[in-house]
Amino acid sequence: MFIEKELEETNEFFSNIEGKSLDVQQRTAAITDEDNLLVVAGAGSGKTLTICGKVRYLIERKHIRPEEILLISYTKKATEELRNRVSGGRDVAVDTKTFHKLGLDLITESQGFRPNIAGEYFLQSHIQTYFASLGNDPEGVAALMTYFGSYIHIPEEFRTCASPDDVAKLCQKLQFETLRSAASTYLENIQRTRRITHSFEQVKSFEELAIANYLYLNGIDYEYERPYPYTTRNSERKPYQPDFYLPEYDLYLEHFGISADGSVPWLPPEKAHEYLEGITWKRSLHQIHGTTLLETYSYYQKEGVLLSKLEELLRSHGVIFRPRDLTSMYTAWMEQKYLSGYSDFVRLIAEFITLYKSNGYTDLPSEVFSDNLPHNPYLRERTRLFLEIVSPIFSGYQKKLQSTDQIDFSDMIHRATDAVNRGSFFLRYRYIVVDEFQDISVGRFQLIQALRKRCNAKVVCVGDDWQSIFRFAGSDIGLFTNFETYFGYSAVLRIEKTYRNSQELVTTSGKFVMENPKQLKKNLRSEVHNVQPVKVVPYKTSPAEALKIIVEDIVADFGDSAHVMVLGRTNYDIEPQGSCVFGEGFSLKKVRTAGSDTQTLVISEKYPHLVLEFLTVHRSKGLEADNVIILNLENRRLGFPNKIVDDPILELVLTQKDGYLYGEERRLFYVALTRTRNNVYLPVPQRKSLISVFVPELIHLDPENVSYPTEYSLTKKDAVLCPKCGAEMVKRHGKYGWFYGCSRYPDCRGTRPISYNDSGIKRT
């Protein structure tokens, strides 16, 4: 009742906020006065205008003194814009601060002097220094190289496994490169001018991989699946090839995939019986021919004793351990930059440590999470190995901060929170307004809570969970999507009318981002229309082919002075091979701007007035342009989505364990799509299996609003989409008959029964 009456009485007031009239949802958000208010604001919906309306309403209608309002944002630029827009040229002293400035001021007020804050890249620099000096630590090198050789990227199939049995089945179909193979290949590349002479050695399970790597690292020579020297061929069995043979000791080693009770639960009964018969047959062969067979079992791995049992077994048979000197190999990998994905791995570690500290942890990660590892055996070992790598980095980082008398941002926020809780100085805030709340971290949340309780203030948080893309800086989307859980009883309002994008783009991008069920549902709308604003443009060999077509299309429709935002997943996307991705006729120009920022421009010889500005998607947040081009839409580890950065390891330090494949990357792609006022162009490889998984999904979700070549059609009558990656499926024949298999096989092993149609619904 109050809302309706207040809307009527403030009609004239809200009709002129910065010369604009607020819509009904914006006005409702401005006048709602609950103790805790979350305003969910869609992309381009006038979020900042709504905040200005809210602050002016509090001051002019509710007579709150400006100094009793604390307005917080995340960047200095955003804070200055808010300060200027809220004041509207008047002398209004609203306390407007970044979290950084707020924390710094609170600590200074508490202790009487300003703390020394570590620089933005202090953590990443420490990580780089750690890895550069790791060559003298064989165990550390072994852990890192094993991780890169076997665990850097999780096969998509593992993410869908519901039980250890599912994983075991899957591992029987996959192969893993051993550390010996990787090391030999890399060293040969250096020592013999990149001529690869060693074979690509693979094993069939991650347990065999652990054994092979253990043997290699301890200087124990082995042969993998060397044929047994005695005749074993018969009509029912293929020739016997034991898993490992140790020639120096004439020992055979078999790793049997059985449980502690001797069963094979991951195989159907008939296959399990065959497998157990095979074990009996192998044992009898060795007994008949007098050869020595050593055995290890899958349940060793499950119990975490595989390698210790292996060591015990080997030593009892006289095997000598000669730990290998890995310094030269590791140095070669680092100097020659053979560790593919290294820079993203550094960033992943920085993300983990930032989130870890934001949660207030101070002990070693390997100790904190020792009892919280995944049940999935592959992910369990992967997580254990990551924690083994990250723990000394974290410990060294903490010591480095202490020795240089510095604190980082997480430390600062925690100390500021402690200062507020101690209550040693006066605070006067009655309202705390937080902009870009989707980027909130646990530490920042705790600071807001401390201020709120100390001042008995009301909290207004504004943001968009669909645009939560700064997890590497500590943001935790669970604090947004579960707002009431953390703040108590709250009002949650939406502003859903967008003033930037067309309705067609709003529909396409909205369907895409809401595929993740953890995202809050919104019904965004626009009064602007644009036929097929998403345009897929293929190329055969180089993105430059498509980019030239795109430039001509933009110039034809918007003139040769249009503003085009070129977005990359990383800074490297504009120069993937050391030269401009646009190819001949284009060059790059870097211009120093105010605030010491660097603007990267793509200069067209043909259209010198065309503004092609390159940004990473992260830097584009909050900006807009006439048209947008998104680069690096390739289905690879470092493509878009980036398959290293969006890592489930981070779920250990997040309040909400999303679990949705490429959840953060999906939001990042949504931000990229919604920067445009008109069209967004997607240059993609012509071969469908090489295309980013996001592109076929867009086509599938909203084909009417996406322009794409007919051969990319994923909605024709006979098309079937992969349940794992969204790519088109093809008919294949196996031992059980016909089925649908993913066109990206073997990278993706998704299947469907032949009775499915294009929408994934069974035909009757």
Side-chain angles (χ1 to χ4, degrees):
M1 191 69 178
F2 167 79
I3 298 293
E4 289 80 0
K5 182 179 179 181
E6 191 71 2
L7 283 173
E8 184 177 344
E9 292 183 2
T10 56
N11 180 58
E12 184 176 351
F13 176 82
F14 285 121
S15 294
N16 184 19
I17 303 295
E18 296 189 299
K20 298 177 182 177
S21 178
L22 271 60
D23 62 37
V24 174
Q25 286 185 319
Q26 292 172 327
R27 296 180 185 208
T28 303
I31 64 179
T32 298
D33 198 38
E34 296 289 349
D35 288 346
N36 306 296
L37 171 62
L38 175 65
V39 180
V40 183
S45 63
K47 169 180 63 67
T48 305
L49 182 65
T50 303
I51 292 175
C52 291
K54 178 77 176 182
V55 173
R56 282 191 55 185
Y57 174 79
L58 290 175
I59 295 171
E60 298 179 31
R61 297 285 299 185
K62 295 204 64 165
H63 308 295
I64 303 297
R65 295 199 300 270
E67 60 270 22
E68 294 177 324
I69 301 173
L70 173 62
L71 182 53
I72 312 173
S73 193
Y74 283 78
T75 66
K76 186 176 180 180
K77 182 178 179 181
T79 304
E80 289 173 351
E81 180 187 1
L82 280 170
R83 183 182 295 113
N84 293 334
R85 291 180 64 174
V86 165
S87 66
R90 303 182 306 278
D91 185 19
V92 178
V94 173
D95 203 356
T96 308
K97 296 181 179 182
T98 63
F99 273 102
H100 188 282
K101 181 69 162 57
L102 175 63
L104 200 60
D105 288 350
L106 289 171
I107 294 175
T108 303
E109 178 75 15
S110 173
Q111 65 185 22
F113 60 90
R114 293 171 70 87
N116 186 18
I117 308 298
E120 181 181 357
Y121 298 105
F122 188 80
L123 174 55
Q124 288 209 10
S125 175
H126 169 73
I127 298 169
Q128 298 270 19
T129 301
Y130 172 83
F131 284 134
S133 62
L134 190 61
N136 297 322
D137 177 9
E139 290 186 4
V141 168
L144 181 66
M145 293 169 67
T146 301
Y147 190 90
F148 268 83
S150 311
Y151 298 98
I152 189 67
H153 169 53
I154 305 172
E156 291 177 14
E157 295 89 339
F158 279 111
R159 298 176 184 258
T160 63
C161 290
S163 69
D165 293 350
D166 291 340
V167 177
K169 288 180 185 177
L170 178 62
C171 284
Q172 293 178 347
K173 302 176 183 177
L174 299 179
Q175 291 186 317
F176 301 87
E177 183 183 11
T178 64
L179 186 55
R180 179 173 72 176
S181 171
S184 300
T185 299
Y186 286 130
L187 288 176
E188 284 293 327
N189 285 346
I190 296 167
Q191 297 169 355
R192 304 199 176 189
T193 60
R194 299 181 181 275
R195 181 171 62 85
I196 299 176
T197 59
H198 288 72
S199 62
F200 185 69
E201 181 177 77
Q202 296 175 314
V203 294
K204 293 186 176 67
S205 74
F206 63 85
E207 293 168 7
E208 287 188 356
L209 180 71
I211 293 171
N213 288 344
Y214 183 82
L215 295 173
Y216 174 78
L217 292 172
N218 285 286
I220 302 169
D221 188 28
Y222 69 87
E223 296 179 37
Y224 181 67
E225 291 194 338
R226 169 189 169 175
Y228 193 58
Y230 300 95
T231 300
T232 59
R233 186 187 304 274
N234 60 46
S235 60
E236 296 181 358
R237 298 185 187 275
K238 62 182 181 180
Y240 176 40
Q241 294 177 275
D243 293 335
F244 299 93
Y245 174 63
L246 311 186
E248 186 177 353
Y249 306 97
D250 194 27
L251 294 173
Y252 294 89
L253 172 64
E254 283 278 15
H255 182 72
F256 295 131
I258 59 175
S259 297
D261 61 2
S263 65
V264 193
W266 47 83
L267 290 176
E270 183 178 334
K271 292 291 182 181
H273 180 70
E274 290 179 9
Y275 187 85
L276 292 173
E277 278 192 339
I279 293 176
T280 302
W281 176 72
K282 291 172 184 178
R283 287 170 175 166
S284 66
L285 273 179
H286 287 281
Q287 189 172 15
I288 291 170
H289 296 290
T291 50
T292 303
L293 174 64
L294 311 182
E295 298 180 15
T296 57
Y297 313 101
S298 284
Y299 71 87
Y300 284 175
Q301 175 71 11
K302 186 175 181 180
E303 295 173 358
V305 297
L306 174 60
L307 298 184
S308 60
K309 287 284 189 181
L310 177 61
E311 179 181 357
E312 180 183 323
L313 192 62
L314 294 173
R315 290 191 185 279
S316 69
H317 284 79
V319 175
I320 300 173
F321 284 63
R322 306 181 184 93
R324 193 176 298 274
D325 178 12
L326 299 172
T327 302
S328 60
M329 179 169 58
Y330 178 74
T331 302
W333 280 21
M334 294 297 289
E335 289 180 352
Q336 302 299 321
K337 295 181 172 55
Y338 281 140
L339 285 177
S340 175
Y342 169 74
S343 60
D344 283 308
F345 185 62
V346 168
R347 179 176 167 181
L348 173 63
I349 291 175
E351 275 189 60
F352 181 90
I353 290 176
T354 299
L355 286 162
Y356 186 77
K357 293 194 65 175
S358 177
N359 280 277
Y361 293 120
T362 56
D363 295 332
L364 290 178
S366 57
E367 297 173 357
V368 171
F369 299 116
S370 60
D371 296 326
N372 194 29
L373 300 178
H375 295 296
N376 177 315
Y378 178 87
L379 298 182
R380 183 181 182 86
E381 177 61 19
R382 181 180 189 268
T383 303
R384 186 203 63 77
L385 196 57
F386 178 86
L387 294 173
E388 179 183 332
I389 294 168
V390 82
S391 288
I393 298 174
F394 170 75
S395 176
Y397 175 62
Q398 294 291 79
K399 291 176 181 176
K400 189 173 182 180
L401 285 170
Q402 186 176 12
S403 67
T404 56
D405 191 28
Q406 297 185 91
I407 60 174
D408 61 14
F409 183 81
S410 294
D411 296 326
M412 182 181 69
I413 294 296
H414 287 308
R415 291 192 186 186
T417 303
D418 290 341
V420 173
N421 287 329
R422 286 197 304 271
S424 56
F425 49 87
F426 176 70
L427 291 168
R428 61 195 172 193
Y429 303 123
R430 294 177 61 185
Y431 283 86
I432 301 170
V433 182
V434 186
D435 186 23
E436 303 288 3
F437 186 72
Q438 75 277 353
D439 297 327
I440 196 72
S441 66
V442 171
R444 294 185 184 104
F445 161 73
Q446 290 170 342
L447 176 57
I448 293 170
Q449 286 286 60
L451 287 167
R452 167 181 172 242
K453 292 177 181 177
R454 171 81 185 280
C455 304
N456 195 27
K458 295 186 177 184
V459 175
V460 180
C461 300
V462 186
D464 181 9
D465 63 297
W466 292 4
Q467 299 184 73
S468 177
I469 59 172
F470 289 102
R471 191 175 58 193
F472 65 88
S475 67
D476 189 335
I477 191 175
L479 295 166
F480 188 106
T481 55
N482 300 303
F483 185 85
E484 194 165 10
T485 300
Y486 297 99
F487 281 91
Y489 177 78
S490 309
V492 179
L493 303 178
R494 285 168 168 75
I495 51 177
E496 299 172 304
K497 184 176 180 180
T498 178
Y499 298 89
R500 177 193 303 150
N501 307 135
S502 65
Q503 182 60 53
E504 289 75 13
L505 185 66
V506 165
T507 300
T508 303
S509 59
K511 286 181 178 180
F512 174 79
V513 77
M514 282 193 292
E515 280 292 287
N516 183 348
K518 295 291 180 67
Q519 304 293 166
L520 299 180
K521 304 303 179 185
K522 305 184 189 73
N523 182 29
L524 299 187
R525 60 193 185 280
S526 171
E527 294 179 354
V528 179
H529 291 277
N530 180 21
V531 177
Q532 293 186 320
V534 181
K535 301 184 183 300
V536 178
V537 184
Y539 56 84
K540 288 185 179 180
T541 58
S542 167
E545 302 166 17
L547 291 168
K548 286 180 173 62
I549 294 172
I550 291 169
V551 167
E552 294 295 337
D553 188 69
I554 290 173
V555 170
D557 290 343
F558 300 95
D560 60 4
S561 298
H563 178 203
V564 182
M565 190 181 288
V566 182
L567 299 180
R569 176 61 187 76
T570 69
N571 282 314
Y572 301 107
D573 291 344
I574 194 64
E575 296 180 278
Q577 303 298 328
S579 59
C580 180
V581 71
F582 279 74
E584 188 177 349
F586 295 86
S587 59
L588 295 181
K589 181 180 179 181
K590 297 189 177 182
V591 181
R592 184 74 66 181
T593 61
S596 299
D597 290 334
T598 300
Q599 183 182 33
T600 302
L601 300 175
V602 181
I603 307 301
S604 167
E605 293 179 5
K606 186 175 181 180
Y607 304 111
H609 299 295
L610 184 66
V611 181
L612 294 160
E613 181 181 9
F614 172 76
L615 294 164
T616 63
V617 183
H618 284 99
R619 287 185 60 202
S620 76
K621 174 75 171 61
L623 304 177
E624 58 185 46
D626 294 335
N627 294 280
V628 165
I629 301 170
I630 305 177
L631 303 176
N632 196 12
L633 294 173
E634 297 184 7
N635 187 21
R636 55 192 181 91
R637 183 184 296 174
L638 302 182
F640 197 172
N642 183 303
K643 299 178 180 180
I644 295 178
V645 173
D646 200 58
D647 198 295
I649 285 284
L650 297 176
E651 293 182 1
L652 288 172
V653 284
L654 291 170
T655 63
Q656 174 174 301
K657 294 173 172 55
D658 192 330
Y660 196 80
L661 185 61
Y662 310 133
E664 178 96 347
E665 293 290 296
R666 179 174 294 268
R667 293 189 292 272
L668 192 63
F669 191 59
Y670 170 79
V671 169
L673 290 171
T674 54
R675 296 310 92 197
T676 185
R677 288 187 288 267
N678 295 291
N679 299 325
V680 56
Y681 294 86
L682 311 179
V684 299
Q686 192 171 54
R687 185 177 170 187
K688 286 185 282 187
S689 63
L690 302 180
I691 300 173
S692 160
V693 296
F694 285 165
V695 177
E697 184 176 346
L698 278 179
I699 297 172
H700 172 62
L701 289 171
D702 199 14
E704 293 182 1
N705 291 326
V706 181
S707 170
Y708 56 94
T710 55
E711 62 267 24
Y712 286 3
S713 173
L714 300 179
T715 56
K716 59 182 182 290
K717 183 178 180 180
D718 294 328
V720 177
L721 299 181
C722 178
K724 295 185 181 298
C725 73
E728 188 173 353
M729 308 192 83
V730 296
K731 289 183 179 180
R732 291 200 173 97
H733 192 273
K735 61 181 180 180
Y736 299 114
W738 287 96
F739 67 98
Y740 284 114
C742 183
S743 60
R744 291 182 51 240
Y745 178 88
D747 295 326
C748 177
R749 297 170 182 261
T751 63
R752 280 196 187 280
I754 206 69
S755 57
Y756 276 75
N757 63 15
D758 60 308
S759 62
I761 300 173
K762 278 192 176 183
R763 294 192 183 103
T764 55

